[in-house]
Amino acid sequence: MARYIVRRLLLLIPIWIGILALTFLMRVLVPGDPVEIMFFGQQRDPEVVAMIQRDLGLDRPLYEQFFIYVWGVMQGDLGTSITTQNAVWDEIKARFPYTFVLTLTSLGIAIVIGLVAGILSAVYKDSIIDAVAMIFALAGLSMPAFWLGLLLIYIFAVQLGWFPVLGEMSARGMVLPSVTLGVIASAVLARIVRSSMLEVLNEDYVRSARAKGLIERTVIVRHALKNALIPILTIIGLQFGGLLSGAFVIEVVFAWHGIGELAVIALQRRDFPLIQGVILVVATTYVLVNLIVDVLYAVVDPRITYS
Amino acid sequence: MDQTNSPNRLLDVIRSDRLVTRRGFVRLLGLGAAIPVGASLLAACETDDDDDDVVVDDTDPAAPDDDPDEVDDDVADDEDVPDGEPQRGGILNLAIIEDPDSMDPAGTIQATASSVQAHIYDRLVYISEDRTPEPWVAEDWEASDDGTELTFHIRSGVMFHDGTELDGDAVKQSFERILDPDMASPALAQMGTLQELELIDDHSVLFRFEEPYAPFYTNISISYGGIVSPAAVEEHGDGFGRNPVGSGPFQFKEWPTGQRIALERFEDYVNYRGDDTNDGAAYVDELHFDIISDVSTRLAALESGELDISDVDRQQAPDIEEDPNFQIIRWEDATNHNFLEFVDREPFNYPEVRRAIACCVDRQTIVDAAYNGYASPNLLPMPTGLAGWDEEIGMEHGYPFDLDRAQQILEDAGWEIGDDGVWTDGEHRLDFTLLFYSGNENIRVACEILQATLNDFGMDVELQVMDFGAMQGVIEEGDFDVNWMRWTWPDPVILSLLFESPGWVGQVSDEELDELLLAADTEMDPDARIDRVQDALRYILDQAIVAPILTDWVINAAGSHVHGYRLDTLGGARYIDVWLEQ
């Protein structure tokens, strides 16, 4: 198992290189120069512009910039933000906890709603409960996150005043953004849980469990759900990535000061070092979470081993 | 958030008389989309703003780039009939659209940064309602006969937040930092032809210019001209931009990265500005600038009471105007400028084509339909709020909406409607792409109206929308036909910024115009300068270098508990008179 984990971690290296290359390529493919944007519509002194470009290393050939950047990243230096003039790592460090906490709470909400809705609709298949749960799932899948966010803001913050509009790192302040993301993510989960459970509920061992007189709850939770967990875990791992990227939009809507909001502003400003830093951190988080999911497979299903 | 603007108070009112209406919700959802991020300050072309925009635009309540003078009835009532003595205390919650880059006047030209640091630093002069410089930290000043030397006399007893005195040496050092090549100050160009400074005595500083530079007063009246504490600069070095010390009504308190900037009242403040009412320390305890990039979120936060003042979108403004819980502050004589730019290529370098297109701009319809009435049609190639703007010149030399005249202009130049219904001169066909940037709903609708009018007239126009950053590259490459551009600038020097050869995007090259612009920029006498500016305006209109369209107003909304809020002549928000009803 340890060897497997180390091997997976080593795989991060080519992933990082790929991300660095792709995000760097963005500089060539995406029109817009950060220094020009900075001075747009302003009087500018050509010498000052040249000096700023020199300071940022933008006057060097692209391949040189790339190697300087990669060399910096290898030493833990993600560069300096063009717009805020702070170290990219400091910007991300200040904001990543916000995004991470939001993602975790959203995931928690998604898991609770998704499991409950999915199990109920599987157990009570073709009943009104099933119909309601699946309509909910369909609605969640169809609804844009920012739209749901604005809806919740309007009802629960502006009209009822139960929660603040502006996200803040407090239990009250986290409710609306977490519920927005959680509800959206729970829709997919509910559908997967349902189909996965339906499959398992028809298995012989479930019939056996019932035949030997176990109470229904035990049958569902210990026998059926446990065996249905593998696809569910996979989806949860994937959803984590979806939540991280969903946070990009939701953070802007709730003025939640995480890396999603940072990335949106960085994109508008063509602040490439910042964009690259955010993508690198998000991608790394995603890979690590999916590694954890893979490890959990072995925990959930003893038949799975890694060597 | 203090008790004054606690959400609960407002929400009580809101709950009592409002239901979740479809209209209200649509208003909230409709907002969105446009986050402009422009780059610049008062100076800039705003990206959008519309509210958002780039804010200094309208986006930022805190930094409206525009001016103020127009206040709506509610506010006027507040001022005419004071409803009580100003009350001290409370936190004024405001929004900015992004984390600023620096709070050092020499270190940034970003609009958002300017909107915050304007309250930390005092300047030598401010621009009054009649658009002339008035004394602020400078008690008075004199210019040499040839206009190349300005001597400012600094008031005695002006103190920085750190307890040191703001004297002539502090002024000299503040401007020398901008001139210092090692500093690579983005604000350097705002200093024009300034060469050096000389300390005449403890409170007198001589500014020496290579040649007269008329926009200097405006430029130093906005954030570039903020006087910094030399002691603090020395203490913090490169970190000064995050530990700003000035002599303004508010001093720096904290700046958690990416979240907010908090300023607190400077108790010993003496206000020398003649356009404010309060000549002492501010009434509110603190200013909180929360970073909220989405305009819908800013409106929701205003409605929930989490913000006290915010920009609002022109679509939402009518609803807010009807709501007794809020007041609308609008600045109609704004320094926003919307116009069509043409590429320097056939057939767009034919004056008749530009003139004909300018005649096809139905400005009033665009104002009514695309801006909900919150804009002024403009026939002149500069914002309506600038010195020198004169509607008569527009009527005489400009191109009011007149399709018959457009037809006449083209026919006189040998164009005719071709078999396909599109104007042609045998060599060219008037089919082109109208480019505009995304994120500004007003501009999008306006371009659609424009497209319909032009197509009806016999042109074949397609619309193309682009992200702002991308569009900038495209127009600077000259890779466009016609584009809708929006600039904000507080001084007539906007003409030089746009049109001095080779033009801001390399599409204008005209020696005769350059001479006119130079004459305007070097004329230090305000009245004579207006004459020179108007000479240039006439020339630009005769050549139809651009097609002016409108000046969009700046619209801010404030809770009804906020008193004394106004925008100054250049659109700078003034919080010194603001007090919160407890």
Side-chain angles (χ1 to χ4, degrees):
Chain A
M1 172 72 95
R3 279 186 59 190
Y4 172 77
I5 293 174
V6 170
R7 208 167 63 224
R8 284 287 299 267
L9 288 176
L10 285 176
L11 269 177
L12 267 175
I13 295 171
I15 290 174
W16 278 333
I17 293 173
I19 291 168
L20 288 177
L22 280 175
T23 53
F24 209 86
L25 201 61
M26 195 168 62
R27 294 193 183 195
V28 190
L29 299 178
V30 179
D33 175 89
V35 180
E36 289 297 324
I37 289 176
M38 189 189 297
F39 277 96
F40 184 59
Q42 297 263 16
Q43 280 171 295
R44 65 191 79 179
D45 186 289
E47 283 179 21
V48 170
V49 172
M51 202 154 168
I52 292 174
Q53 283 175 327
R54 197 163 57 238
D55 285 351
L56 295 169
L58 299 174
D59 59 332
R60 296 166 187 270
L62 213 59
Y63 70 88
E64 211 176 308
Q65 290 183 44
F66 180 69
F67 286 115
I68 291 173
Y69 181 66
V70 171
W71 180 243
V73 171
M74 284 166 65
Q75 295 171 312
D77 176 11
L78 293 177
T80 304
S81 160
I82 294 170
T83 46
T84 66
Q85 301 173 18
N86 291 334
V88 168
W89 178 241
D90 288 343
E91 289 281 351
I92 291 175
K93 209 167 56 183
R95 290 162 172 269
F96 187 73
Y98 283 78
T99 300
F100 194 68
V101 168
L102 178 62
T103 305
L104 282 187
T105 53
S106 310
L107 193 63
I109 289 170
I111 290 174
V112 170
I113 298 177
L115 280 183
V116 170
I119 291 173
L120 284 178
S121 69
V123 171
Y124 299 103
K125 182 169 178 288
D126 296 334
S127 70
I128 185 82
I129 296 177
D130 184 21
V132 169
M134 286 307 104
I135 288 172
F136 165 82
L138 188 65
L141 282 172
S142 331
M143 221 174 339
F146 78 90
W147 192 87
L148 178 63
L150 287 174
L151 182 71
L152 295 181
I153 284 178
Y154 190 68
I155 297 173
F156 294 103
V158 174
Q159 292 296 329
L160 298 172
W162 292 354
F163 305 105
V165 173
L166 307 178
E168 49 186 64
M169 206 54 139
S170 67
R172 211 167 140 257
M174 284 174 56
V175 171
L176 293 184
S178 305
V179 167
T180 304
L181 278 174
V183 164
I184 301 277
S186 69
V188 176
L189 201 56
R191 291 191 67 90
I192 298 293
V193 170
R194 179 178 182 272
S195 59
S196 184
M197 282 292 286
L198 282 178
E199 209 172 291
V200 173
L201 284 173
N202 289 327
E203 293 288 339
D204 290 344
Y205 55 81
V206 171
R207 196 181 51 206
S208 304
R210 283 189 177 127
K212 71 185 179 186
L214 292 179
I215 58 170
E216 188 65 10
R217 198 175 60 194
T218 309
V219 174
I220 301 294
V221 176
R222 301 217 22 208
H223 293 259
L225 181 60
K226 195 170 176 191
N227 281 291
L229 268 183
I230 293 291
I232 295 172
L233 266 181
T234 308
I235 289 297
I236 289 176
L238 293 174
Q239 284 288 20
F240 189 88
L243 286 170
L244 273 177
S245 55
F248 277 44
V249 177
I250 284 307
E251 286 183 3
V252 170
V253 171
F254 286 94
W256 184 265
H257 303 309
I259 54 173
E261 186 193 56
L262 183 69
V264 171
I265 294 172
L267 274 168
Q268 288 168 336
R269 294 283 194 184
R270 301 294 189 270
D271 189 344
F272 293 115
L274 205 47
I275 298 168
Q276 288 166 326
V278 170
I279 293 176
L280 207 58
V281 168
V282 168
T284 305
T285 310
Y286 187 61
V287 169
L288 290 179
V289 166
N290 279 283
L291 172 59
I292 293 171
V293 168
D294 286 353
V295 171
L296 282 179
Y297 286 162
V299 175
V300 172
D301 188 342
R303 290 170 301 182
I304 297 176
T305 54
Y306 298 111
S307 57
Chain B
M1 175 157 305
D2 73 336
Q3 68 277 26
T4 309
N5 41 25
S6 98
N8 295 332
R9 196 184 60 75
L10 266 179
L11 283 168
D12 287 342
V13 182
I14 291 168
R15 281 191 211 109
S16 66
D17 64 4
R18 279 205 283 172
L19 297 172
V20 181
T21 60
R22 191 194 67 84
R23 190 179 177 209
F25 181 58
V26 168
R27 175 172 99 200
L28 186 67
L29 293 188
L31 302 179
I35 297 185
V37 173
S40 355
L41 160 64
L42 299 175
C45 345
E46 291 308 333
T47 315
D48 324 354
D49 46 251
D50 336 276
D51 352 315
D52 47 348
D53 220 70
V54 166
V55 199
V56 168
D57 291 344
D58 337 6
T59 309
D60 227 320
D65 10 357
D66 303 40
D67 237 36
D69 315 344
E70 299 281 350
V71 173
D72 101 335
D73 291 342
D74 291 345
V75 178
D77 287 346
D78 287 346
E79 290 181 353
D80 297 346
V81 188
D83 40 354
E85 282 295 299
Q87 298 167 349
R88 264 172 82 96
I91 294 173
L92 187 66
N93 289 289
L94 307 158
I96 49 178
I97 62 158
E98 62 191 332
D99 210 18
D101 50 358
S102 170
M103 285 292 115
D104 180 353
T108 177
I109 48 170
Q110 190 195 55
T112 309
S114 299
S115 69
V116 178
Q117 70 189 30
H119 311 287
I120 300 176
Y121 304 102
D122 280 349
R123 276 82 79 187
L124 292 174
V125 299
Y126 71 95
I127 302 298
S128 68
E129 211 165 308
D130 63 3
R131 268 99 187 152
T132 55
E134 294 289 332
W136 189 351
V137 165
E139 205 162 16
D140 56 34
W141 59 90
E142 66 254 354
S144 65
D145 290 343
D146 65 355
T148 58
E149 290 185 351
L150 285 175
T151 305
F152 286 91
H153 303 288
I154 315 302
R155 293 177 199 275
S156 299
V158 179
M159 305 303 288
F160 286 116
H161 305 145
D162 60 5
T164 57
E165 189 185 359
L166 190 164
D167 55 10
D169 187 50
V171 171
K172 178 170 177 278
Q173 290 195 40
S174 293
F175 286 94
E176 282 179 345
R177 293 178 75 231
I178 298 176
L179 297 180
D180 179 2
D182 291 340
M183 186 86 191
S185 170
L188 177 62
Q190 314 302 330
M191 298 299 113
T193 57
L194 179 63
Q195 295 294 297
E196 58 180 0
L197 294 99
E198 187 182 322
L199 195 60
I200 305 293
D201 60 44
D202 282 355
H203 289 90
S204 300
V205 186
L206 173 72
F207 288 66
R208 192 166 287 123
F209 296 82
E210 193 179 331
E211 54 187 44
Y213 185 59
F216 190 67
Y217 295 114
T218 304
N219 291 359
I220 62 167
S221 78
I222 49 186
S223 59
Y224 319 118
I227 312 298
V228 303
S229 159
V233 169
E234 192 175 340
E235 180 187 345
H236 296 292
D238 289 343
F240 180 75
R242 289 191 79 87
N243 298 277
V245 178
S247 63
F250 293 93
Q251 57 187 352
F252 177 72
K253 185 182 178 191
E254 60 170 358
W255 181 2
T257 298
Q259 297 182 43
R260 100 184 69 79
I261 295 177
L263 309 182
E264 60 190 358
R265 175 175 53 227
F266 177 39
E267 293 290 355
D268 298 331
Y269 187 66
V270 179
N271 185 16
Y272 294 106
R273 273 182 74 143
D275 59 343
D276 294 321
T277 307
N278 179 8
D279 57 7
Y283 301 121
V284 296
D285 294 335
E286 295 187 11
L287 301 182
H288 282 190
F289 296 91
D290 284 310
I291 297 165
I292 310 175
S293 55
D294 186 72
V295 65
S296 313
T297 308
R298 291 197 292 275
L299 175 70
L302 180 76
E303 295 198 306
S304 73
E306 289 165 74
L307 286 182
D308 296 304
I309 302 172
S310 175
D311 59 316
V312 286
D313 183 287
R314 291 171 191 92
Q315 268 73 35
Q316 315 152 346
D319 285 349
I320 304 239
E321 292 208 61
E322 289 170 13
D323 191 330
N325 296 307
F326 301 100
Q327 53 189 315
I328 287 278
I329 295 95
R330 60 177 181 226
W331 178 38
E332 297 181 11
D333 270 341
T335 53
N336 300 326
H337 184 33
N338 292 266
F339 55 98
L340 296 181
E341 282 184 318
F342 303 95
V343 71
D344 184 15
R345 171 168 28 89
E346 292 178 359
F348 304 101
N349 54 2
Y350 299 165
E352 72 266 17
V353 170
R354 300 194 300 262
R355 289 182 188 125
I357 291 175
C359 285
C360 292
V361 180
D362 186 355
R363 295 172 183 81
Q364 193 59 52
T365 299
I366 289 174
V367 164
D368 294 340
Y371 287 80
N372 236 352
Y374 295 102
S376 304
N378 187 8
L379 291 170
L380 288 161
M382 74 179 199
T384 60
L386 296 188
W389 187 89
D390 182 345
E391 190 168 18
E392 278 185 22
I393 296 176
M395 295 306 290
E396 198 178 323
H397 294 265
Y399 306 90
F401 177 52
D402 186 344
L403 295 181
D404 292 339
R405 184 179 169 200
Q407 181 175 346
Q408 195 64 49
I409 289 171
L410 286 177
E411 285 174 355
D412 289 350
W415 291 74
E416 59 183 13
I417 297 270
D419 296 340
D420 56 358
V422 176
W423 287 96
T424 175
D425 67 350
E427 199 179 334
H428 309 94
R429 206 173 158 266
L430 280 187
D431 60 336
F432 58 89
T433 300
L434 172 58
L435 175 66
F436 63 100
Y437 57 82
S438 58
N440 187 316
E441 188 62 9
N442 305 121
I443 292 179
R444 184 186 64 76
V445 177
C447 284
E448 286 172 358
I449 294 170
L450 201 50
Q451 178 192 30
T453 318
L454 291 167
N455 285 349
D456 282 351
F457 177 69
M459 297 189 191
D460 183 4
V461 179
E462 284 188 16
L463 297 184
Q464 185 182 10
V465 60
M466 256 184 208
D467 154 76
F468 185 73
M471 173 170 162
Q472 194 186 348
V474 165
I475 55 180
E476 293 196 353
E477 292 286 314
D479 191 14
F480 70 100
D481 298 326
V482 180
N483 77 67
W484 179 299
M485 185 41 64
R486 180 176 183 278
W487 270 54
T488 294
W489 192 262
D491 188 272
V493 75
I494 186 173
L495 298 177
S496 301
L497 297 181
L498 288 170
F499 307 122
E500 192 181 17
S501 299
W504 82 282
V505 283
Q507 305 303 323
V508 183
S509 192
D510 188 321
E511 284 180 17
E512 196 174 339
L513 178 57
D514 287 346
E515 282 176 27
L516 294 171
L517 295 171
L518 184 66
D521 292 345
T522 54
E523 177 55 66
M524 298 300 282
D525 177 70
D527 292 336
R529 187 181 181 214
I530 286 178
D531 292 340
R532 300 289 81 75
V533 166
Q534 294 184 339
D535 291 342
L537 289 174
R538 288 186 195 94
Y539 185 87
I540 293 165
L541 284 176
D542 290 342
Q543 298 299 316
I545 292 174
V546 293
I549 302 172
L550 55 87
T551 286
D552 47 310
W553 304 345
V554 172
I555 317 282
N556 286 353
S560 52
H561 63 291
V562 177
H563 298 265
Y565 173 61
R566 71 180 187 93
L567 299 164
D568 71 13
T569 308
L570 300 187
R574 297 299 296 161
Y575 300 121
I576 181 95
D577 285 325
V578 171
W579 59 277
L580 302 169
E581 201 171 306
Q582 312 275 331

